[in-house]
Amino acid sequence: MTTPTPQTTHVRPNYMLIWLYLFVMTIAEVLLAFKLPVSPNVKLILLLILAIWKALLVALFFMHLKFERWRLRVIFIVPLPLAIILVTTVIMEKVF
Amino acid sequence: MQTTTMTDAMRPPVPAEPGAGVYSNKLGMWVFLASDVMFFTALIGSYIVLRFGMGSAWARPGAVLNVPLTGLNTFLLICSSVSMVKAYAAIADGKKYFLRKVPGKTLQDGGLKFWLLVTIICGAGFVGVQVVEYIKLVGHGFTPTGYREGSLLAEHALADPVKYGAGVAGMYGSTFFTMTGFHGFHVTCGVISMLYLYFTKVLPEKYSPQDYRGIEVIGLYWHFVDLVWIILFTIVYLI
């Protein structure tokens, strides 16, 4: 049995602009990794920030997570802290 | 974020099931994606722990892997993601056609058939490039067990053990092929699923602005595969 859902009136994102962001950030990543004279630690942090930023753009605008109901976002968000706990626990076991 | 089209594009393709507030196919895909997050976390987490827990350094970025070729692959996957979302937007607007002339515009307007075909081609291209990459790597001596004895890479590793991470080549090979292999398997499954939808639903024009569940659900899967690759590309190829 289904119940009618009210029509939402979200504004459609500019998908081509997001594609351009992703493209430019990918080029920036490659340049940062191989061409720019940056210390390894700063490079590592910047590369991770760029990767997370790109992943967020895909999740929020291409997967429309930004426009979804909160309860649906929770399904996607819940595994993330679990993932951090998993990696941290294994690293702790390695360290100690 | 800037916008161009003022429509209710994010309207649900069918009425929602009571409770979750979304239709069951979409909820099922989100639950699957949540489990896939954990799956890839296990792989990436193991890679991080093994890499940074080892005594000796791994091969430097670009020493073994072909980054320009993989950069092309990343570009293909990003293009496929935008074409997938354009396919979604096209059917939401009722554009079932392939290409159609628009008065006053040079470029033709793409419909669902066009954008989904572009997505399939880009996805198949990604798999093809990955196969070429694997063939080249194995040819140079990089295998899941490390650098093959007597190969070009083994000679390079002997000459410069730090640059090629000679001490942990086996670990490097096994984690690299496991992570990229599982991702490639996901892409292959996505391409096969899209081909199935293309011939059984899209070409016969079975989707409409009132019901396009299949496009939305496969779109979620495809964007997730793109998202995972964005992380893998950075962690495996650039760091």
Side-chain angles (χ1 to χ4, degrees), chain A residues 10-58:
Chain A
H10 299 296
V11 175
R12 184 179 292 171
N14 186 339
Y15 298 126
M16 296 312 285
L17 187 67
I18 295 161
W19 171 82
L20 191 65
Y21 285 159
L22 292 171
F23 178 62
V24 169
M25 279 196 275
T26 304
I27 291 175
E29 275 187 315
V30 175
L31 289 177
L32 184 63
F34 296 104
K35 298 288 180 192
L36 299 180
V38 187
S39 76
N41 287 341
V42 174
K43 191 183 284 185
L44 178 73
I45 292 167
L46 288 176
L47 283 172
L48 287 177
I49 288 172
L50 279 171
I52 292 168
W53 192 358
K54 283 165 67 185
L56 275 175
L57 281 179
V58 171

Side-chain angles (χ1 to χ4, degrees), chain B residues 9-236:
Chain B
M10 261 50 81
R11 66 179 174 269
V14 288
E17 297 283 345
V22 292
Y23 56 96
S24 55
N25 316 47
K26 186 172 172 179
L27 180 65
M29 178 51 79
W30 274 109
V31 172
F32 167 72
L33 293 183
S35 70
D36 231 19
V37 167
M38 290 309 290
F39 174 76
F40 277 107
T41 298
L43 291 181
I44 295 170
S46 308
Y47 174 79
I48 292 169
V49 171
L50 288 171
R51 180 167 176 176
F52 295 103
M54 301 302 286
S56 50
W58 285 35
R60 285 183 196 152
V64 177
L65 305 175
N66 189 340
V67 176
L69 187 70
T70 322
L72 169 74
N73 239 3
T74 307
F75 176 70
L76 273 178
L77 213 54
I78 289 172
C79 288
S80 77
S81 222
V82 77
S83 60
M84 184 74 237
V85 82
K86 294 286 273 184
Y88 167 85
I91 190 60
D93 290 344
K95 299 173 181 175
K96 300 179 184 178
Y97 50 81
F98 191 77
L99 287 170
R100 188 169 284 178
K101 281 187 178 174
V102 181
K105 283 191 176 179
T106 319
L107 288 174
Q108 293 191 343
D109 187 37
L112 172 64
K113 288 175 189 171
F114 173 75
W115 288 116
L116 195 63
L117 186 64
V118 171
T119 312
I120 292 169
I121 291 170
C122 287
F126 178 92
V127 177
V129 171
Q130 194 170 30
V131 169
V132 170
E133 184 197 14
Y134 275 18
I135 291 170
K136 284 194 168 188
L137 285 174
V138 172
H140 287 131
F142 187 50
T143 67
T145 53
Y147 304 143
R148 196 175 54 245
E149 238 177 272
S151 66
L152 192 68
L153 265 175
E155 284 174 24
H156 286 322
L158 270 177
D160 192 346
V162 176
K163 183 181 177 186
Y164 290 90
V168 285
M171 199 72 81
Y172 184 34
S174 56
T175 51
F176 168 78
F177 282 102
T178 305
M179 285 194 295
T180 56
F182 269 113
H183 179 267
F185 173 69
H186 275 73
V187 177
T188 309
C189 289
V191 171
I192 292 169
S193 308
M194 283 190 290
L195 274 172
Y196 173 76
L197 283 187
Y198 198 74
F199 287 108
T200 60
K201 302 267 187 167
V202 174
L203 286 181
E205 299 193 349
K206 287 186 179 172
Y207 289 123
S208 67
Q210 287 73 43
D211 185 359
Y212 50 94
R213 281 174 287 185
I215 296 297
E216 189 178 33
V217 169
I218 190 69
L220 286 174
Y221 175 82
W222 193 253
H223 298 310
F224 176 75
V225 167
D226 181 30
L227 190 153
V228 169
W229 182 252
I230 284 169
I231 304 290
L232 280 185
F233 178 63
T234 304
I235 289 179
V236 176

